[in-house]
Amino acid sequence: MREFATTEMNLPEAEAHLATHLGHRYVDTDWRPALTAVMDAEGDVATAVKALEPLAVAATCRTGIKIRIPAANPPAQLSDAETMLMTSVAALKQRNSTDKAIAASVCQEMVAADGDVIEVDSDSDDDEDSGPTITRESVLELCQQLESGCLVFGDAGSSLRLSRELRIF
């Protein structure tokens, strides 16, 4: 940029020089303020250099730098090992569910042999008529806890809206 500001280089040449120097990392919008500052100086080298100084300071203090490291392809041996491991995990999960089924069957047979079998009528609709599983008091207590949590961890606007909604309840 100093070369652009202190020589007879024109804007297209400066852009081409930056693109050549930075390659695929050149992003026009990142460099546009500096290029505009030099162009606005209209040939006054001192003004152009002075205009570039705050931009250079800002660029060195910039915290949004992105470091991109391309992922390397894993070696074939690693890919093969991962595939074998995942196959083994799947086989163990299948075996585990089979073992649980066998254990449940054995337990059921042992209970039946002892005569301790309890008949369960799965077609009954008693579950629907059993009423709520949570009381009004516990709901109110949960609402108070939620309101307190929003006041502690949320922002004031959200807490106020929640409080209004809970008051309606």
Side-chain angles (χ1 to χ4, degrees):
M1 289 310 305
R2 289 196 193 278
E3 183 180 346
F4 177 43
T6 58
T7 64
E8 295 296 319
M9 185 183 292
N10 63 30
L11 180 61
E13 289 172 341
E15 291 171 333
H17 185 70
L18 283 169
T20 301
H21 181 70
L22 296 173
H24 71 279
R25 294 180 309 248
Y26 174 72
V27 178
D28 185 65
T29 54
D30 292 344
W31 289 94
R32 188 56 42 199
L35 293 168
T36 302
V38 173
M39 291 301 295
D40 290 347
E42 297 179 358
D44 184 358
V45 174
T47 303
V49 170
K50 189 173 181 176
L52 287 176
E53 287 177 12
L55 294 172
V57 170
T60 58
C61 297
R62 186 174 172 192
T63 60
I65 294 175
K66 298 175 187 168
I67 299 174
R68 294 186 180 118
I69 300 173
N73 292 333
Q77 185 180 8
L78 179 61
S79 296
D80 293 344
E82 182 180 8
T83 303
M84 287 175 41
L85 180 63
M86 294 309 293
T87 303
S88 297
V89 168
L92 286 172
K93 284 182 180 179
Q94 178 64 32
R95 183 181 296 167
N96 191 20
S97 64
T98 303
D99 290 347
K100 285 181 182 178
I102 292 171
S105 177
V106 168
C107 286
Q108 185 178 9
E109 288 177 16
M110 289 173 54
V111 168
D114 290 342
D116 294 334
V117 178
I118 299 174
E119 297 272 340
V120 176
D121 183 13
S122 62
D123 294 332
S124 88
D125 294 332
D126 290 341
D127 291 340
E128 294 174 12
D129 297 334
S130 64
T133 58
I134 189 167
T135 64
R136 185 171 179 84
E137 292 171 345
S138 59
V139 169
L140 290 174
E141 184 180 323
L142 288 172
C143 289
Q144 289 172 345
Q145 289 176 357
L146 184 59
E147 185 177 7
S148 297
C150 284
L151 288 172
V152 172
F153 300 109
D155 61 283
S158 297
S159 297
L160 181 61
R161 285 192 302 276
L162 177 65
S163 294
R164 287 180 181 156
E165 293 297 320
L166 291 176
R167 298 289 180 229
I168 293 170
F169 177 73

